[in-house]
Amino acid sequence: DLILRFGRVNIIIDALDDAGERGRFLTLIDSLVSNPRYANVRVLVTSRDEIDIRRTLLPLSFHISMSNPIVDEDIRRHVHSELHSDPKFLRWSPALLYQVEGTLIMGAKGMQVHQFRWAHCQLLDLRRLNQQLVVKGALTELPETIDETYERILCSIPDEPKPLSFCILAILCSDIRHPGPLTANLVRDAVLWGDAEHDDINGNPDDELFDIEALHEVGVCLITVISLPDNYQSHRESIYSGKPIVLSHYTVKEFLVSKRIKPSTASFFQLKTAQARLKHVWPSLLAALYANHDADQPHAVGNEFPKFASWALPG
């Protein structure tokens, strides 16, 4: 009824392959597109190329592959822009930048999916290098897929921060809902408290060493700490103030929980749903503890420990 009230309705459905009840979703799309009653509707669907989706949508739609010259040009522009605007890359010689740009563009063209993501991750990985010969060597050994890219990044994490890195990724991969945004400070504290064996609510003795910059360092291309404008004012409680932290891309979680990681050299980071939920208990309970410990917290937060603790349960 709502659709019929407008002259033109544009519906965008992103990542259809992630839909929980995909069969019903496909039936709905079929109805919207094929029923003359909804002639005013235009639908754009993005999805991975899966059999049931292709079977339903091909007779109804125009198929645009993500492997095409327009996408290749967008990747080229992104790579060129990053190489010629990042202060770290600007220290490199023009000849080396030219070689990097050409190699990444050619490598992305050879992929069927996630070309943009692959190219971006290679840029972040190359950015950490400081010698021209090392950069050139890395260009000859670039991973061929996004899975291999994540495997290489995970394996490059030193032994010392590996357990902490695992905890961070587990928290971010959990399917448990949380009453507030997961911020870099909250996740960092949750990880350190999960590793601590003391009762000091004021903080872990290592907290000054393991900061937001450390989160960035151990999670290049895997996690993103979102920068907020200087004048941004959070309307949430102080325990949720600060920079939100998220997985950089949905494919990170896909790889960590998949069977594909088990035989790889990054098997240490393989995650199961129960593990992720268990790790996610920490920020939920920590938020509740902080709220009850800080007398300045609003009443609605400070006196509702059961509500916060309940978020640690699945469902």
Side-chain angles (χ1 to χ4, degrees):
D1 290 341
L2 186 61
I3 285 174
L4 295 176
R5 293 175 181 268
F6 295 90
R8 171 70 63 86
V9 176
N10 299 308
I11 299 176
I12 300 174
I13 302 170
D14 188 30
L16 175 60
D17 51 290
D18 285 338
E21 299 183 8
R22 204 154 75 188
R24 294 180 61 185
F25 221 124
L26 288 168
T27 301
L28 174 61
I29 295 172
D30 189 349
S31 175
L32 285 172
V33 173
S34 60
N35 191 329
R37 188 181 182 210
Y38 305 120
N40 62 327
V41 174
R42 299 293 182 271
V43 180
L44 172 65
V45 177
T46 69
S47 173
R48 279 176 287 192
D49 191 0
E50 299 193 1
I51 294 176
D52 57 331
I53 295 175
R54 172 181 283 270
R55 184 185 300 118
T56 301
L57 296 187
L58 271 183
L60 310 171
S61 62
F62 295 99
H63 175 242
I64 302 175
S65 171
M66 290 303 290
S67 298
N68 63 65
I70 297 175
V71 173
D72 292 342
E73 177 60 19
D74 278 345
I75 293 173
R76 187 198 67 78
R77 289 179 179 178
H78 174 69
V79 171
H80 182 85
S81 175
E82 289 295 310
L83 290 176
H84 290 82
S85 61
D86 190 301
K88 174 68 179 292
F89 288 131
L90 290 177
R91 294 161 48 195
W92 296 8
S93 69
L96 182 58
L97 293 177
Y98 180 81
Q99 183 178 354
V100 170
E101 182 175 332
T103 303
L104 294 188
I105 292 170
M106 288 300 298
K109 281 185 177 180
M111 300 184 64
Q112 294 298 315
V113 292
H114 306 311
Q115 304 99 311
F116 197 102
R117 175 68 179 159
W118 180 89
H120 184 67
C121 284
Q122 308 318 316
L123 281 171
L124 293 179
D125 204 30
L126 290 169
R127 190 183 183 279
R128 299 190 293 180
L129 306 180
N130 295 302
Q131 297 181 23
Q132 182 167 278
L133 286 178
V134 176
V135 173
K136 290 183 175 181
L139 291 177
T140 65
E141 300 177 349
L142 292 176
E144 296 183 0
T145 65
I146 197 67
D147 276 5
E148 291 181 22
T149 299
Y150 292 151
E151 180 181 348
R152 179 175 296 188
I153 292 171
L154 290 167
C155 289
S156 69
I157 297 174
D159 289 340
E160 181 184 357
K162 263 187 179 181
L164 298 180
S165 304
F166 176 84
C167 290
I168 294 168
L169 293 170
I171 290 171
L172 297 180
C173 286
S174 171
D175 58 0
I176 295 177
R177 295 175 301 162
H178 198 274
L182 285 170
T183 63
N185 288 332
L186 186 57
V187 170
R188 181 208 62 179
D189 288 354
V191 168
L192 292 174
W193 269 85
D195 191 49
E197 296 181 359
H198 59 82
D199 299 320
D200 181 10
I201 189 66
N202 293 314
N204 184 282
D206 295 329
D207 59 4
E208 293 184 1
L209 299 179
F210 194 73
D211 55 12
I212 294 176
E213 288 302 315
L215 289 178
H216 271 127
E217 290 172 6
V218 300
V220 60
C221 201
L222 302 176
I223 63 174
T224 298
V225 180
I226 301 173
S227 296
L228 300 173
D230 293 336
N231 60 352
Y232 175 81
Q233 295 292 327
S234 175
H235 298 292
R236 295 183 178 271
E237 298 85 355
S238 62
I239 51 173
Y240 292 121
S241 63
K243 299 179 179 180
I245 180 172
V246 296
L247 292 175
S248 295
H249 199 254
Y250 72 89
T251 53
V252 176
K253 179 177 179 179
E254 281 191 348
F255 180 62
L256 293 175
V257 301
S258 72
K259 295 180 180 179
R260 304 189 304 272
I261 191 176
K262 188 173 183 179
S264 76
T265 53
S267 58
F268 173 87
F269 291 94
Q270 184 181 27
L271 266 176
K272 296 181 180 178
T273 303
Q275 283 179 301
R277 286 175 175 169
L278 184 60
K279 295 298 182 183
H280 201 146
V281 167
W282 276 109
S284 296
L285 297 184
L286 189 66
L289 287 171
Y290 275 165
N292 280 270
H293 178 72
D294 190 344
D296 295 330
Q297 287 293 326
H299 173 83
V301 177
N303 296 316
E304 295 194 29
F305 185 94
K307 181 186 74 173
F308 277 79
S310 70
W311 289 97
L313 300 174

Short mmCIF file of all heavy atoms in Angstrom, two decimals, residues 156-185:
data_model
loop_
_atom_site.label_atom_id
_atom_site.label_comp_id
_atom_site.label_asym_id
_atom_site.label_seq_id
_atom_site.Cartn_x
_atom_site.Cartn_y
_atom_site.Cartn_z
N SER A 156 51.51 -12.85 10.75
CA SER A 156 52.53 -11.83 10.99
C SER A 156 52.42 -11.22 12.39
O SER A 156 53.31 -10.48 12.82
CB SER A 156 52.43 -10.72 9.94
OG SER A 156 51.25 -9.95 10.12
N ILE A 157 51.33 -11.52 13.11
CA ILE A 157 51.18 -11.01 14.48
C ILE A 157 52.17 -11.73 15.38
O ILE A 157 52.19 -12.96 15.43
CB ILE A 157 49.74 -11.23 14.99
CG1 ILE A 157 48.75 -10.44 14.12
CG2 ILE A 157 49.61 -10.80 16.45
CD1 ILE A 157 47.29 -10.70 14.46
N PRO A 158 53.01 -11.00 16.10
CA PRO A 158 54.01 -11.64 16.98
C PRO A 158 53.35 -12.52 18.05
O PRO A 158 52.18 -12.35 18.37
CB PRO A 158 54.74 -10.44 17.61
CG PRO A 158 54.49 -9.31 16.67
CD PRO A 158 53.13 -9.54 16.10
N ASP A 159 54.11 -13.44 18.60
CA ASP A 159 53.58 -14.38 19.58
C ASP A 159 53.02 -13.68 20.82
O ASP A 159 51.99 -14.09 21.37
CB ASP A 159 54.67 -15.37 20.01
CG ASP A 159 55.01 -16.35 18.90
OD1 ASP A 159 54.19 -16.50 17.98
OD2 ASP A 159 56.11 -16.94 18.94
N GLU A 160 53.69 -12.61 21.27
CA GLU A 160 53.28 -11.97 22.52
C GLU A 160 51.85 -11.44 22.47
O GLU A 160 51.05 -11.71 23.38
CB GLU A 160 54.26 -10.84 22.87
CG GLU A 160 53.92 -10.13 24.17
CD GLU A 160 54.85 -8.95 24.43
OE1 GLU A 160 55.77 -8.74 23.62
OE2 GLU A 160 54.64 -8.27 25.43
N PRO A 161 51.46 -10.65 21.44
CA PRO A 161 50.08 -10.15 21.44
C PRO A 161 49.06 -11.09 20.79
O PRO A 161 47.90 -10.72 20.64
CB PRO A 161 50.20 -8.85 20.63
CG PRO A 161 51.32 -9.11 19.67
CD PRO A 161 52.28 -10.03 20.40
N LYS A 162 49.45 -12.30 20.41
CA LYS A 162 48.52 -13.21 19.74
C LYS A 162 47.28 -13.50 20.59
O LYS A 162 46.16 -13.42 20.08
CB LYS A 162 49.23 -14.51 19.36
CG LYS A 162 49.70 -14.55 17.92
CD LYS A 162 50.24 -15.92 17.56
CE LYS A 162 50.69 -15.93 16.10
NZ LYS A 162 51.20 -17.26 15.71
N PRO A 163 47.43 -13.88 21.87
CA PRO A 163 46.23 -14.16 22.68
C PRO A 163 45.30 -12.95 22.80
O PRO A 163 44.09 -13.09 22.74
CB PRO A 163 46.80 -14.56 24.04
CG PRO A 163 48.19 -15.04 23.74
CD PRO A 163 48.67 -14.18 22.63
N LEU A 164 45.90 -11.75 22.96
CA LEU A 164 45.08 -10.55 23.05
C LEU A 164 44.38 -10.28 21.73
O LEU A 164 43.21 -9.88 21.70
CB LEU A 164 45.94 -9.36 23.46
CG LEU A 164 46.63 -9.44 24.82
CD1 LEU A 164 47.43 -8.18 25.09
CD2 LEU A 164 45.61 -9.65 25.93
N SER A 165 45.08 -10.49 20.62
CA SER A 165 44.50 -10.28 19.30
C SER A 165 43.33 -11.24 19.08
O SER A 165 42.29 -10.86 18.52
CB SER A 165 45.56 -10.49 18.21
OG SER A 165 46.66 -9.65 18.41
N PHE A 166 43.51 -12.48 19.52
CA PHE A 166 42.44 -13.48 19.40
C PHE A 166 41.20 -13.02 20.16
O PHE A 166 40.08 -13.12 19.66
CB PHE A 166 42.92 -14.83 19.93
CG PHE A 166 41.85 -15.89 19.93
CD1 PHE A 166 41.58 -16.61 18.78
CD2 PHE A 166 41.10 -16.15 21.08
CE1 PHE A 166 40.58 -17.58 18.77
CE2 PHE A 166 40.12 -17.11 21.08
CZ PHE A 166 39.86 -17.83 19.92
N CYS A 167 41.40 -12.49 21.36
CA CYS A 167 40.27 -12.03 22.18
C CYS A 167 39.54 -10.87 21.51
O CYS A 167 38.30 -10.81 21.50
CB CYS A 167 40.75 -11.60 23.56
SG CYS A 167 41.30 -12.98 24.60
N ILE A 168 40.30 -9.93 20.95
CA ILE A 168 39.69 -8.79 20.27
C ILE A 168 38.82 -9.27 19.12
O ILE A 168 37.66 -8.86 18.96
CB ILE A 168 40.77 -7.82 19.76
CG1 ILE A 168 41.53 -7.19 20.92
CG2 ILE A 168 40.15 -6.73 18.89
CD1 ILE A 168 42.78 -6.46 20.51
N LEU A 169 39.37 -10.14 18.28
CA LEU A 169 38.63 -10.63 17.13
C LEU A 169 37.41 -11.43 17.56
O LEU A 169 36.34 -11.35 16.93
CB LEU A 169 39.55 -11.48 16.26
CG LEU A 169 40.68 -10.71 15.56
CD1 LEU A 169 41.68 -11.67 14.93
CD2 LEU A 169 40.11 -9.77 14.50
N ALA A 170 37.55 -12.20 18.63
CA ALA A 170 36.42 -12.99 19.12
C ALA A 170 35.28 -12.09 19.57
O ALA A 170 34.10 -12.34 19.26
CB ALA A 170 36.86 -13.91 20.26
N ILE A 171 35.61 -11.04 20.31
CA ILE A 171 34.58 -10.11 20.77
C ILE A 171 33.85 -9.48 19.60
O ILE A 171 32.62 -9.39 19.58
CB ILE A 171 35.21 -9.01 21.66
CG1 ILE A 171 35.67 -9.61 22.99
CG2 ILE A 171 34.23 -7.87 21.91
CD1 ILE A 171 36.49 -8.65 23.84
N LEU A 172 34.60 -9.07 18.58
CA LEU A 172 33.99 -8.40 17.44
C LEU A 172 33.23 -9.35 16.54
O LEU A 172 32.35 -8.93 15.78
CB LEU A 172 35.08 -7.67 16.63
CG LEU A 172 35.81 -6.55 17.37
CD1 LEU A 172 36.86 -5.91 16.48
CD2 LEU A 172 34.84 -5.50 17.89
N CYS A 173 33.55 -10.65 16.60
CA CYS A 173 32.85 -11.64 15.78
C CYS A 173 31.61 -12.20 16.46
O CYS A 173 30.84 -12.92 15.83
CB CYS A 173 33.78 -12.80 15.43
SG CYS A 173 35.02 -12.41 14.19
N SER A 174 31.41 -11.89 17.72
CA SER A 174 30.30 -12.47 18.46
C SER A 174 28.97 -11.99 17.90
O SER A 174 28.83 -10.85 17.43
CB SER A 174 30.40 -12.09 19.94
OG SER A 174 29.23 -12.45 20.63
N ASP A 175 27.96 -12.87 17.97
CA ASP A 175 26.61 -12.50 17.53
C ASP A 175 25.74 -12.03 18.69
O ASP A 175 24.54 -11.83 18.53
CB ASP A 175 25.93 -13.67 16.82
CG ASP A 175 25.84 -14.92 17.71
OD1 ASP A 175 26.30 -14.86 18.86
OD2 ASP A 175 25.32 -15.94 17.23
N ILE A 176 26.34 -11.83 19.85
CA ILE A 176 25.59 -11.34 21.00
C ILE A 176 25.32 -9.84 20.83
O ILE A 176 26.20 -9.08 20.46
CB ILE A 176 26.37 -11.57 22.31
CG1 ILE A 176 26.53 -13.06 22.57
CG2 ILE A 176 25.65 -10.91 23.49
CD1 ILE A 176 27.35 -13.38 23.81
N ARG A 177 24.11 -9.45 21.11
CA ARG A 177 23.78 -8.03 21.09
C ARG A 177 24.39 -7.35 22.32
O ARG A 177 24.63 -7.98 23.33
CB ARG A 177 22.26 -7.83 21.11
CG ARG A 177 21.56 -8.36 19.87
CD ARG A 177 20.06 -8.24 20.04
NE ARG A 177 19.59 -8.97 21.22
CZ ARG A 177 18.42 -8.76 21.81
NH1 ARG A 177 17.62 -7.82 21.37
NH2 ARG A 177 18.06 -9.49 22.87
N HIS A 178 24.62 -6.07 22.20
CA HIS A 178 25.25 -5.33 23.29
C HIS A 178 24.46 -4.05 23.51
O HIS A 178 23.99 -3.44 22.54
CB HIS A 178 26.71 -5.00 22.93
CG HIS A 178 27.55 -4.64 24.10
ND1 HIS A 178 27.63 -3.36 24.58
CD2 HIS A 178 28.34 -5.38 24.91
CE1 HIS A 178 28.44 -3.33 25.63
NE2 HIS A 178 28.88 -4.53 25.85
N PRO A 179 24.28 -3.61 24.75
CA PRO A 179 23.44 -2.44 25.01
C PRO A 179 24.02 -1.11 24.53
O PRO A 179 23.32 -0.11 24.51
CB PRO A 179 23.29 -2.44 26.54
CG PRO A 179 24.48 -3.19 27.03
CD PRO A 179 24.75 -4.23 25.99
N GLY A 180 25.27 -1.08 24.16
CA GLY A 180 25.88 0.13 23.65
C GLY A 180 26.94 -0.22 22.63
O GLY A 180 27.24 -1.38 22.40
N PRO A 181 27.50 0.78 21.95
CA PRO A 181 28.52 0.51 20.94
C PRO A 181 29.80 -0.04 21.57
O PRO A 181 30.18 0.36 22.67
CB PRO A 181 28.77 1.89 20.32
CG PRO A 181 28.41 2.86 21.40
CD PRO A 181 27.28 2.23 22.14
N LEU A 182 30.42 -0.97 20.89
CA LEU A 182 31.72 -1.48 21.34
C LEU A 182 32.77 -0.46 20.94
O LEU A 182 33.04 -0.24 19.76
CB LEU A 182 32.02 -2.83 20.71
CG LEU A 182 31.23 -4.01 21.28
CD1 LEU A 182 31.42 -5.25 20.43
CD2 LEU A 182 31.65 -4.29 22.71
N THR A 183 33.37 0.19 21.92
CA THR A 183 34.38 1.20 21.63
C THR A 183 35.76 0.59 21.84
O THR A 183 35.93 -0.44 22.50
CB THR A 183 34.22 2.42 22.55
OG1 THR A 183 34.41 2.01 23.91
CG2 THR A 183 32.85 3.03 22.38
N ALA A 184 36.77 1.26 21.28
CA ALA A 184 38.15 0.78 21.39
C ALA A 184 38.55 0.67 22.86
O ALA A 184 39.18 -0.32 23.27
CB ALA A 184 39.09 1.72 20.64
N ASN A 185 38.19 1.66 23.67
CA ASN A 185 38.57 1.63 25.09
C ASN A 185 37.90 0.48 25.83
O ASN A 185 38.52 -0.20 26.64
CB ASN A 185 38.20 2.96 25.76
CG ASN A 185 39.11 4.09 25.32
OD1 ASN A 185 40.26 3.86 24.96
ND2 ASN A 185 38.60 5.31 25.33
#
